[in-house]
Amino acid sequence: MTTLPSLIRWLAAQRRPALRRWASQVLARALLAAALPWVAPAQAADSLTCTGRFPNPITEICWSCILPISIGSATIANFDGQEDIPNPSNPVCSCGVNPTIGLSIGFWEPARHVEAVRKPFCLASLGGIDLDPGIPAPAAARFTRPEGDGDGGSFYQAHFYVNPVLYWLEVVTDFPCLERGSFDLAYLTEVDPLWNDDELTLILNPEAVLFANPVAVAACAADCVAATAGFGIAEMFWCAGCQGGIYPLDGHVPYHMGGVRTAALIAQRLTAKMHRELLAWGWHGRPGLCGPYFLPAMDKTAYKTQLTYPVANTAKDGGRCCQPFGRSTIVWGAGKEYPVRGEDFAFMLFRKRNCCVGY
């Protein structure tokens, strides 16, 4: 049986210029077709831009998200009806082996930062620095479905920052309830093999198999309604409100319905992953009065988010510019995404903080 390579070699050996030219063209096209699957991914990764901006703490952080401030269960400072979760009822508290009596203070501390990016090792929140240490990592992508049942899925890399902005700005001095530290990169998903594998990530969240069914997915509609009206339902820990399901704890999103919505889901998943890996702790409620505590199952009601990049969401909707985890992005996310320089996203995380301030 004559194969295509042998036929090309035979034609090339003939003393006919036209046949030799035709054979050379066929061979070149065959080699190009064989090389395209290897060249295309590299070109796709190189074509991704890395842009960003360090958040301006004066103009791009919605400081009203710190409110309300409470002593015990009583609110002492609030403007425009900022949302809150329950605080310890007793205003008097004590901590330590030799107890120090103090007041139970509650507020929302801006202390963490999350970003979802397309290009691996692109640090959008550090001004668009392309770190690129030479470690191979999958680039972000949009996937289409041949059935035409929607926009398809997507994949993003994500980064988790420590950003205790109230402390390093010295907005309040000598206040024991603020986390001490500076802006720091705490986690890169590019070096985490679990972030790109739905099955491998079950090592962290084996309970995900219990909620991979239509009933559990449909129940998240109630969480979406609750998060849009206030805070999500803490008991429905497998739900990410209007963004879908919190599982699996990786960068694969089955239905891409816009960059802002997808990035909001990625922010929730990465925060939940940090809790599961004990890199993020609980700071709220009665257990948090005397310091942080282990919270391997994230309490999603303890976080509010504010978009800081590409368009800082400082315009208030109903007096608020921070959104609890799971709230619909239809209203506040409109106009926040644009081509090329506006396809990576960053969020400031405000976490609920209860603290016993002793005197």
Side-chain angles (χ1 to χ4, degrees):
M1 181 176 180
T2 302
T3 62
L4 179 59
S6 61
L7 178 61
I8 293 173
R9 287 194 296 270
W10 179 82
L11 290 172
Q14 304 304 307
R15 298 184 179 275
R16 297 180 183 178
L19 284 176
R20 286 200 300 270
R21 285 195 300 269
W22 179 85
S24 299
Q25 293 173 358
V26 171
L27 182 59
R29 291 174 182 174
L31 292 174
L32 179 62
L36 276 177
W38 303 95
V39 174
Q43 291 178 341
D46 292 340
S47 66
L48 294 175
T49 57
C50 180
T51 61
R53 182 180 64 252
F54 188 84
N56 188 320
I58 306 302
T59 61
E60 295 184 336
I61 294 180
C62 192
W63 292 105
S64 62
C65 299
I66 296 173
L67 305 174
I69 299 174
S70 62
I71 296 179
S73 59
T75 299
I76 61 171
N78 197 6
F79 300 103
D80 298 324
Q82 303 301 317
E83 297 160 306
D84 200 7
I85 60 175
N87 296 282
S89 57
N90 193 345
V92 180
C93 56
S94 63
C95 292
V97 178
N98 297 317
T100 300
I101 307 300
L103 295 177
S104 172
I105 305 295
F107 65 103
W108 293 83
E109 182 184 16
R112 296 293 182 267
H113 211 88
V114 179
E115 65 184 15
V117 299
R118 298 162 298 149
K119 189 173 185 178
F121 299 103
C122 174
L123 306 180
S125 297
L126 288 178
I129 296 176
D130 191 355
L131 193 59
D132 192 15
I135 302 174
R142 290 273 302 277
F143 310 107
T144 58
R145 303 179 191 278
E147 301 86 358
D149 59 343
D151 290 340
S154 61
F155 173 82
Y156 282 84
Q157 298 287 357
H159 307 140
F160 197 77
Y161 296 87
V162 175
N163 187 15
V165 61
L166 281 178
Y167 175 77
W168 61 259
L169 278 181
E170 297 184 354
V171 175
V172 182
T173 59
D174 297 328
F175 186 49
C177 293
L178 296 182
E179 180 183 4
R180 299 175 181 271
S182 58
F183 193 95
D184 190 18
L185 176 59
Y187 202 87
L188 288 161
T189 59
E190 288 88 342
V191 297
D192 183 355
L194 277 63
W195 190 253
N196 189 37
D197 195 314
D198 288 348
E199 296 180 356
L200 194 60
T201 195
L202 285 174
I203 296 174
L204 281 181
N205 51 271
E207 72 277 9
V209 298
L210 301 176
F211 306 106
N213 60 79
V215 176
V217 174
C220 291
D223 188 51
C224 173
V225 174
T228 302
F231 289 89
I233 304 172
E235 291 75 16
M236 300 181 71
F237 58 89
W238 68 92
C239 296
C242 299
Q243 281 76 58
I246 203 78
Y247 297 121
L249 297 181
D250 61 21
H252 291 284
V253 179
Y255 287 92
H256 184 95
M257 303 297 289
V260 177
R261 174 189 178 274
T262 302
L265 175 58
I266 293 293
Q268 294 181 67
R269 286 185 174 182
L270 185 58
T271 307
K273 180 181 176 70
M274 295 298 96
H275 276 272
R276 185 55 57 92
E277 295 179 357
L278 301 181
L279 298 177
W281 296 3
W283 298 75
H284 64 290
R286 182 174 293 278
L289 286 174
C290 299
Y293 57 95
F294 289 136
L295 190 64
M298 178 187 71
D299 182 357
K300 59 191 175 185
T301 66
Y303 289 97
K304 294 192 290 188
T305 67
Q306 183 225 329
L307 185 69
T308 59
Y309 184 81
V311 180
N313 185 36
T314 54
K316 293 187 177 182
D317 176 38
R320 312 179 187 107
C321 48
C322 275
Q323 320 299 328
F325 273 168
R327 178 162 292 176
S328 173
T329 61
I330 292 177
V331 175
W332 67 267
K336 301 298 192 299
E337 179 183 12
Y338 52 90
V340 185
R341 298 182 64 88
E343 297 182 85
D344 299 323
F345 305 90
F347 297 87
M348 172 66 75
L349 294 189
F350 290 77
R351 69 184 179 200
K352 179 63 178 181
R353 182 75 189 269
N354 291 107
C355 178
C356 185
V357 181
Y359 293 96

